[in-house]
Amino acid sequence: MEEDYGLDFSDIEAQYAVQVPNTFDNIVVVDNVPVVDEAKEEKLLKVIRKIFSSAGTIKPDGITMPKNPNGKSKGFLFMEFESAADAQKAIATLDGYKMDKAHVLVVSKFDDIETFAEMSDEFEEVQVEPYVEKEHLKSWLSDPKARDQFAIMKGDEVGIYFNNKSESPDRCQSKSNWSDLFISWSSYGSYFVTIHKQGIALWGGPSWQKINRFPHPNVTMVDFSPKENYVMTWSPDAFKTPDGQLHNICIWDVKTATLLRSFPTPATKEKAGKENIFFKWSFDDKYVAKMTPGAQGAISVYELPSMGLLDKKSFKVENLMDFYWSPTENVLSYWTPEIGNIPARVTIVSVPSRNIVRTKNFFNVIACKLYWQSNGEYLLVKVDRNKTKTTTITSFEVFRMKEKDIPVDVVELKVSEELIELYWEPKGNKFAILTAENNNQTLNFYEVQPKSAATTSAVGVKQLKQVDAKNISSVCWSPKGRFCVLAGLKGMAGTLEFWDTEDFTKLGAGEHYMCTDIEWDPTGRYVVTSVSYWRVQNDTGLIMWTLAGQELTKQYITGFKQFAWRPRPPTLLSAEDQKKLKKNLKEYSKQFDEEDALESNKASADVQEKRRAQWEEYKALLAKFRAIKESEREERIAIYGFDPEAVNEDVEEVEETIEVVLEESEEIIE
Amino acid sequence: MRPILLNGHTRALTTVKYNYDGDLIFSVSKDSVPCVWYSSNGERLGTFEGHNGTVWTLDISRDSTRLLTGSADNSMILWNVNGGQQLFKWETQTAVRAVAFASGDKLALFVTDATMGQKSTIHIVEIAKDSSKQTSKILNKFVIKGSKATRALWGKLNQTIITGHDDGTVCVFDAKTGEVLKSVKEHSGPITDIQFGTTQDYFITSSKDHCAIIFEAENLSIYKKFETERPVNSAAISPIKPHLILGGGQDAMSVTTTSAKQGKFEVRFYHMVFEEEIGRVKGHFGPINTLAFHPSGKGYASGGEDGFVRVHHFDDSYFKFQFPEERE
């Protein structure tokens, strides 16, 4: 049957159209060639041939230069190479070649010329995609009551809530299976991060839309740069790059979701755990540094966002062990161990100048560890040394980074004392050291004395307070400093102590049995202790405390996994404004107290209202039951043979008197 | 007031119950000897010798002359309370999990366990007025389809039988035909206890799923639900106040893994209407298996896995305590 169904096959034809093989792949067109007459033709071609021979082999007689009838060249020529690759190379390397000032060569593919020729002369306006306004990523900061948000993961459900102190929190968003592994926030809290098998996703804005996706199969670690412009993802399963290498680490631009560069995990005995030990961001998002540990050790500093190696060379550090950026300057600190006659050394080097700012050598060293104070004012180095052949001693070397020549103060522990952990006070000059001596744990608070005091006294670091830490396994400082929670985590019964380190008063104490995690809110007003299902399967849930240890809410949540406060960006107020605020705090707090009172009055009124309704309901129910009972009286009597409900008035009260002889004694009465 | 400790059982308590008048406490345990005690001073009045296995359950006739006990030795025994003699013994195929006198004490029911290929079954027997004429005749037998029954009570006017099941279901059977009138599954774990409120129109169930629920008996609709952090083994409603008590705690088998403090072996008092916890009583050093309110509401008894029965008499402050909303 020959019938036209009126079908349009053009789309299918286009799809299956056979590509005519292009035979002009090896021909290029060179434009902007000087116009010459026959006399100079020979010379020009010689020059041209010389220039282009650097790209590849030109076929003999491969150059054709068209001429005008008057014998002058037209100013362009065709050139045939031996292979298409040579032609490609000629385009890549010689397009834009300056023969002289007036003649910059334009080299294009012969095939493209056709396209250029067919190009419409009329200007076609570029279709600009309509502007879609994006939601404000910091919208939560404009909450009228300036409440903080937090995210909770329980079972498969993830929810984000506004904290309402002791009242139940307001839900902002919740979804089941929102995240496959865990949840996280970006450094300034603008993005909420969910982890999936396929990669990570960022969410945010008032409606919690997906903002960007970063594909990275089986990703298990996410690390945002301090100013959240970049993010690093790590996966234990390497993926193959286009040139066949196996890479584990990706560095992304957050706003555009483009992959800046990927790396393999540096080969080492140490496994990269949850903490990323190889890549570290500089404080200002300018650089990311990679550590190559070991004998051929090096620190490679890459500039962001180009990810080019700074000055095209790494910092060579033989036997590099560990390194850290200063939290407030582009300064690197690292240490190398003692090998043979070379002492162990801590080095501080500034970037990008590569000036070594300070080094210090140590002898008989077993191990070092570097701890930066969050303001970058002090670098504390813990040094474990051999005192004798069998005993070791730990000391702390405090580098005063902001003072001239970086003086160093030393604190030594007792020989038998063993350091468990060290905790710097954020933004402060105190640090806490948890030590063990013969199974007795103690917690010592030290303070780095300010400069003036240090010059007058011999010791620049002063011990402030010693606390018995029998049930304490960690110290959790408030993000604003001064206050801290001493906690017995992991099998230590969950003892909690709330301290004010200004005058070392214990503000309060509490207990959260089997507590696994402690999270301060970003303002330092609340502490959340939690028992996560990942570690303990019983009594999972959380308790919210004030910084003084007053329990606000306690919730048992089955399958509770993770709690995460939403971080806040740094304040926009100047130091002066902050000082002013602190001075006038009393005025403000009055206003807040009023608001709080109003809130709690409203809440208690609500409770009263609810209770009244419940009581009414209960009374009605009882009345109903009473009526039913009354109506069933006859049937009941039939069953029992008497009325079991009747108040038995024939009951005889029998009073028994029991006389017991308690004591007998004989007395002779005269 | 300080509680009275009844120390006579050698193994974990399974059920404690006051008699109608409240002067006696009957207790059964995993040792095979039921006991009866004076509730006022905790003096042991006597024991009932005859079982040779865990005694799971008991019931007392309204006039306190007869006691029924159901045991894992595959029997139910009718006892003479005054004297402790065994009056009659029903031999069963499997363990007896629940026993109950019907109102009027002319009938009784017992529920057998689903083991050894047997199905869990409700048996109804006649209780002869003259015990010498007692027979083992089964009046009626309802085989339970589905999950086995763990508790059973006679409903109002002996018209129904209310059962609690191993899968958390609560059922209402027609006591004459054995037809399932209503069945709801509000608990996700085994029902551990069912006790009536001030009338037989509502009852409270407790379950291993950490919850206790007050149901209206007629349509099994939920009146209130109470959630805790531990398995609830027993729940009772006060006869005089809108209060209820819950007892339980971590399972005996996992107790050793934590301290006694964390096992939460406390009796917890809740306000039945406002759903608020109003108090806790510590004391047992193992899970609480059974609770009973004194019929006058002036005290309660708790039996624990630790083998003790603790008899509490409330202080004056308990009776004075009221929410402001209750006074209206």
Side-chain angles (χ1 to χ4, degrees), chain A residues 486-498:
Chain A
L486 316 186
L489 303 180
K490 295 172 201 160
M492 285 187 95
T495 321
L496 302 168
E497 291 180 15
F498 299 79

Side-chain angles (χ1 to χ4, degrees), chain B residues 223-242:
Chain B
Y223 171 58
K224 295 275 158 148
K225 183 167 182 175
F226 300 85
E227 283 181 46
T228 74
E229 312 87 60
R230 287 285 183 269
V232 188
N233 291 339
S234 190
I237 296 172
S238 164
I240 54 164
K241 291 199 134 230

Side-chain angles (χ1 to χ4, degrees), chain B residues 107-118:
Chain B
L107 297 173
L109 67 78
F110 64 91
V111 178
T112 51
D113 216 344
T115 46
M116 300 185 287
Q118 299 290 322

Side-chain angles (χ1 to χ4, degrees), chain A residues 511 513 538-539 556 608 611-612 614-615 618-619 621 624-625 628 632 635 639-640 644, chain B residues 62 103 106 156-157 201-202 216 229-230 250 261-262 264 272-276 323 325 328:
Chain A
E511 192 196 87
Y513 188 69
N538 265 334
D539 292 334
Y556 288 100
Q608 270 181 17
R611 281 193 186 152
R612 243 175 239 134
Q614 285 174 323
W615 192 247
Y618 175 65
K619 280 205 289 198
L621 199 67
K624 185 177 102 184
F625 292 155
I628 294 172
E632 288 165 345
E635 292 165 84
I639 287 172
Y640 279 90
Chain B
R62 187 186 156 107
S103 302
K106 294 179 192 83
K156 208 162 49 168
L157 305 172
D201 295 296
Y202 64 103
E216 285 185 46
E229 312 87 60
R230 287 285 183 269
Q250 202 153 42
K261 197 171 160 195
Q262 293 309 319
K264 312 245 161 97
M272 192 172 117
V273 181
F274 305 140
E275 299 163 53
E276 264 177 55
F323 279 90
E325 289 80 5
E328 286 164 16

Side-chain angles (χ1 to χ4, degrees), chain B residues 8-9 25-28 31 33-37 44 46-48 58 67:
Chain B
H9 288 289
I25 294 173
F26 292 83
S27 63
V28 290
D31 67 29
V33 188
C35 292
V36 57
W37 320 73
R44 182 150 70 173
T47 56
F48 300 89
L58 71 90
L67 168 70

Side-chain angles (χ1 to χ4, degrees), chain B:
Chain B
M1 227 166 87
R2 282 174 66 87
I4 303 167
L5 254 71
L6 311 188
N7 183 6
H9 288 289
T10 55
R11 288 198 60 198
L13 270 293
T14 50
T15 308
V16 294
K17 239 179 204 169
Y18 284 91
N19 67 342
Y20 177 78
D21 302 304
D23 59 332
L24 300 176
I25 294 173
F26 292 83
S27 63
V28 290
S29 80
K30 287 186 181 172
D31 67 29
S32 51
V33 188
C35 292
V36 57
W37 320 73
Y38 284 116
S39 68
S40 56
N41 59 8
E43 193 184 325
R44 182 150 70 173
L45 187 60
T47 56
F48 300 89
E49 311 270 347
H51 278 302
N52 49 26
T54 294
V55 188
W56 287 117
T57 173
L58 71 90
D59 200 16
I60 313 132
S61 68
R62 187 186 156 107
D63 60 7
S64 304
T65 58
R66 298 285 181 269
L67 168 70
L68 273 179
T69 55
S71 164
D73 65 2
N74 298 353
S75 73
M76 172 170 83
I77 297 181
L78 180 70
W79 309 85
N80 185 9
V81 173
N82 186 7
Q85 304 92 350
Q86 188 175 315
L87 297 175
F88 197 80
K89 187 172 186 175
W90 287 264
E91 302 277 354
T92 57
Q93 298 284 323
T94 57
V96 178
R97 277 291 179 168
V99 299
F101 279 110
S103 302
D105 298 332
K106 294 179 192 83
L107 297 173
L109 67 78
F110 64 91
V111 178
T112 51
D113 216 344
T115 46
M116 300 185 287
Q118 299 290 322
K119 282 236 166 87
S120 176
T121 309
I122 304 171
H123 303 257
I124 296 172
V125 296
E126 204 167 357
I127 303 293
K129 210 159 191 182
D130 180 355
S131 294
S132 59
K133 288 178 187 151
Q134 182 66 49
T135 64
S136 63
K137 192 182 152 210
I138 307 289
L139 288 185
N140 235 332
K141 216 161 121 176
F142 310 135
V143 176
I144 291 167
K145 295 179 190 97
S147 176
K148 70 178 183 186
T150 52
R151 296 284 161 195
L153 290 175
W154 287 93
K156 208 162 49 168
L157 305 172
N158 300 341
Q159 286 164 351
T160 57
I161 294 166
I162 299 161
T163 53
H165 296 259
D166 206 40
D167 65 350
T169 318
V170 174
C171 283
V172 177
F173 287 84
D174 185 317
K176 300 234 159 47
T177 63
E179 183 194 344
V180 177
L181 299 175
K182 182 100 191 162
S183 164
V184 292
K185 189 169 184 295
E186 298 291 350
H187 283 292
S188 57
I191 306 274
T192 50
D193 199 7
I194 304 180
Q195 295 196 25
F196 280 118
T198 48
T199 76
Q200 289 180 323
D201 295 296
Y202 64 103
F203 59 85
I204 187 162
T205 58
S206 64
S207 165
K208 290 278 183 206
D209 70 357
H210 305 188
C211 294
I213 299 179
I214 299 180
F215 287 98
E216 285 185 46
E218 197 187 353
N219 47 15
L220 295 187
S221 60
I222 294 183
Y223 171 58
K224 295 275 158 148
K225 183 167 182 175
F226 300 85
E227 283 181 46
T228 74
E229 312 87 60
R230 287 285 183 269
V232 188
N233 291 339
S234 190
I237 296 172
S238 164
I240 54 164
K241 291 199 134 230
H243 297 168
L244 56 92
I245 51 179
L246 303 182
Q250 202 153 42
D251 267 341
M253 54 192 286
S254 53
V255 161
T256 48
T257 59
T258 54
S259 68
K261 197 171 160 195
Q262 293 309 319
K264 312 245 161 97
F265 310 129
E266 295 150 328
V267 175
R268 299 169 79 162
F269 283 69
Y270 284 86
H271 197 283
M272 192 172 117
V273 181
F274 305 140
E275 299 163 53
E276 264 177 55
E277 189 174 336
I278 51 178
R280 284 186 193 199
V281 177
K282 285 184 216 161
H284 283 287
F285 49 87
I288 292 156
N289 286 343
T290 171
L291 287 170
F293 255 109
H294 190 281
S296 72
K298 288 181 178 152
Y300 76 91
S302 57
E305 189 74 19
D306 56 10
F308 287 104
V309 177
R310 299 173 76 93
V311 183
H312 293 256
H313 295 88
F314 295 129
D315 293 321
D316 259 359
S317 58
Y318 170 81
F319 300 104
K320 280 184 192 144
F321 167 76
Q322 249 183 350
F323 279 90
E325 289 80 5
E326 283 181 61
R327 299 196 187 104
E328 286 164 16

